[in-house]
Amino acid sequence: MGVKQALRAIDAFPRAEDHLLQKTKSGALVSVVGLVIMATLFLHELSYYLNIDTVHQMAVDLRRGETLPIHINMTFPSLPCDVLSVDAIDMSGKHEVDLDTNIWKLRLNSDGHIIGTEYLSDLVEKEHEAHKHDVHKDHHEDSDKIHLQGIDEESENMIKKVKQAMAVGEGCRVYGVLDVQRVAGNFHISVHGLNNFVAQMIFEGSTHVNVSHIIHDLSFGPKYPGIHNPLDGTSRILRGASGTFKYFIKVVPTEYRYISKEVLPTNQFSVTEYFSPINEFDRTWPAVYFLYDLSPITVTIREERRSFLHLITRLCAVLGGTFALTGMLDRWMYKLLEAVTEKNSRTIVR
């Protein structure tokens, strides 16, 4: 027996003899329907294979000695840039002298258009007792003692400048990056950078300080695909009232691993919000506080794509199943048409 005959003997797909093959009237329609179904399922499986899924995993955060980047982009439509300052405080009790901070202020007119830019050089870094920070503490007790007898020429010029800016409805946009210690703490934007006497001369009381704000972007690291920062687009506008806003933030360390094996370290966060109104007897000044704490759990988000063998397996199942189904459908339609034709022939003969 030759090789050809041996291979033919173990053929798992025997062919029907020519005289047993017959073309049916429904075969073309069934073939077209089968091809459409197979093409549709093939494209679906291909898109399913090319689609990238993300897998979430959790583990204990082991990172130490790193900084926490805080990206800020906020607008204060009712406060000029000259009165706004940023205070950054953490729970380590350490005075950060060389804090790597890049914050800018954009002067805005009453329509929200930019009319000037300046670097925020009045960042206030303060020490405080470990695990204790009273957000209502007066930041300017020492400076008040210096100015009890009056104000200097520089302060007078500033008061006039700020009052003119407030009269024309000037606002301010604060944006940039704060690099802080990777421990719990807070940062706040307020008029705390002013001497109390100067602030009193400008606003004539804390109840006239309007800390209405719009948060365009607040994040704790670079963004990755699908991230949702809950404070983006937040707008808090006060009308005829004054008070302090507090945002309590829980920061979750996150690693995003791309399918290319590149790793992006960043952070997610959740937030709760509280507003405390201020009356004329309060000795504190309104502010916008962001009090953050870090979760001990880190989340790893990994991009994954299904294997090519998985695609081939599914394609074989889809195409083979469709071929078998259309074959069954063709046989059923052929028998149905044959029965109807035979019945009609009998009726005509009678």
Side-chain angles (χ1 to χ4, degrees):
M1 181 183 293
V3 176
K4 187 174 183 181
Q5 287 76 11
L7 293 176
R8 185 172 296 179
I10 61 173
D11 188 359
F13 306 99
R15 303 295 184 269
E17 297 181 7
D18 293 339
H19 70 278
L20 297 177
L21 298 177
Q22 182 179 356
K23 292 184 178 180
T24 61
K25 297 180 180 179
S26 60
L29 177 60
V30 173
S31 298
V32 171
V33 172
L35 289 174
V36 171
I37 294 175
M38 283 189 285
T40 303
L41 293 178
F42 171 78
L43 294 176
H44 177 269
E45 289 299 328
L46 184 61
S47 63
Y48 184 70
Y49 165 72
L50 295 177
N51 185 43
I52 297 176
D53 287 338
T54 55
V55 178
H56 293 67
Q57 296 177 332
M58 292 188 296
V60 176
D61 185 20
L62 301 177
R63 287 182 289 180
R64 295 182 297 175
E66 299 181 5
T67 58
L68 180 67
I70 305 176
H71 300 261
I72 308 169
N73 190 348
M74 298 177 60
T75 294
F76 291 82
S78 302
L79 290 176
C81 289
D82 290 312
V83 302
L84 285 177
S85 66
V86 177
D87 298 354
I89 305 173
D90 62 53
M91 298 299 292
S92 66
K94 182 180 178 181
H95 184 59
E96 294 288 346
V97 178
D98 295 322
L99 188 65
D100 184 15
T101 304
N102 295 291
I103 299 293
W104 294 81
K105 295 189 293 187
L106 299 177
R107 295 174 55 204
L108 308 176
N109 60 18
S110 57
D111 296 324
H113 298 143
I114 299 172
I115 57 177
T117 306
E118 61 180 299
Y119 185 72
L120 180 55
S121 58
D122 54 358
L123 175 72
V124 181
E125 301 161 3
K126 300 183 180 296
E127 289 189 33
H128 61 95
E129 295 180 3
H131 308 295
K132 292 182 180 179
H133 174 57
D134 183 0
V135 296
H136 299 293
K137 182 179 179 181
D138 189 350
H139 294 278
H140 314 288
E141 293 178 355
D142 295 336
S143 58
D144 286 346
K145 295 177 182 178
I146 300 175
H147 294 281
L148 284 176
Q149 303 301 323
I151 55 177
D152 54 20
E153 182 178 354
E154 182 180 354
S155 298
E156 288 183 358
N157 294 334
M158 180 182 180
I159 292 172
K160 292 179 181 179
K161 180 181 177 182
V162 172
K163 284 188 173 183
Q164 291 176 355
M166 294 176 64
V168 297
E170 188 172 311
C172 185
R173 189 165 188 168
V174 181
Y175 72 98
V177 180
L178 285 171
D179 285 317
V180 298
Q181 294 283 337
R182 197 176 182 81
V183 294
N186 78 77
F187 68 94
H188 45 278
I189 303 175
S190 63
V191 297
H192 291 165
L194 296 175
N195 166 268
N196 256 356
F197 185 75
V198 172
Q200 190 69 32
M201 291 290 293
I202 294 174
F203 297 104
E204 299 178 357
S206 59
T207 55
H208 297 143
V209 179
N210 189 341
V211 291
S212 298
H213 58 279
I214 302 170
I215 303 176
H216 306 287
D217 175 53
L218 180 70
S219 57
F220 291 80
K223 297 182 179 180
Y224 61 84
I227 190 174
H228 172 66
N229 293 322
L231 286 179
D232 288 2
T234 298
S235 178
R236 297 292 180 265
I237 305 299
L238 297 175
R239 304 186 186 281
S242 183
T244 294
F245 290 90
K246 297 177 183 177
Y247 297 96
F248 298 90
I249 298 173
K250 176 66 74 172
V251 180
V252 181
T254 303
E255 280 188 352
Y256 192 88
R257 297 179 178 271
Y258 291 92
I259 200 167
S260 61
K261 307 303 180 181
E262 180 184 354
V263 179
L264 177 68
T266 183
N267 300 277
Q268 305 178 76
F269 69 92
S270 61
V271 62
T272 55
E273 178 182 344
Y274 176 73
F275 174 73
S276 175
I278 285 182
N279 57 55
E280 58 183 349
F281 301 106
D282 289 332
R283 298 183 60 186
T284 59
W285 293 93
V288 180
Y289 282 86
F290 298 90
L291 302 100
Y292 57 88
D293 192 9
L294 280 86
S295 169
I297 301 298
T298 183
V299 175
T300 300
I301 305 175
R302 187 176 65 254
E303 291 183 345
E304 285 189 351
R305 176 177 289 163
R306 298 163 190 84
S307 68
F308 183 72
L309 291 178
H310 184 265
L311 171 66
I312 297 300
T313 302
R314 292 180 66 94
L315 286 178
C316 289
V318 165
L319 300 180
T322 305
F323 185 80
L325 180 62
T326 52
M328 293 171 58
L329 182 61
D330 181 48
R331 286 194 297 271
W332 292 341
M333 292 186 66
Y334 173 73
K335 290 181 179 180
L336 177 62
L337 291 175
E338 190 178 45
V340 172
T341 304
E342 185 178 351
K343 183 178 180 180
N344 291 338
S345 299
R346 292 176 182 177
T347 304
I348 293 173
V349 171
R350 292 179 182 177

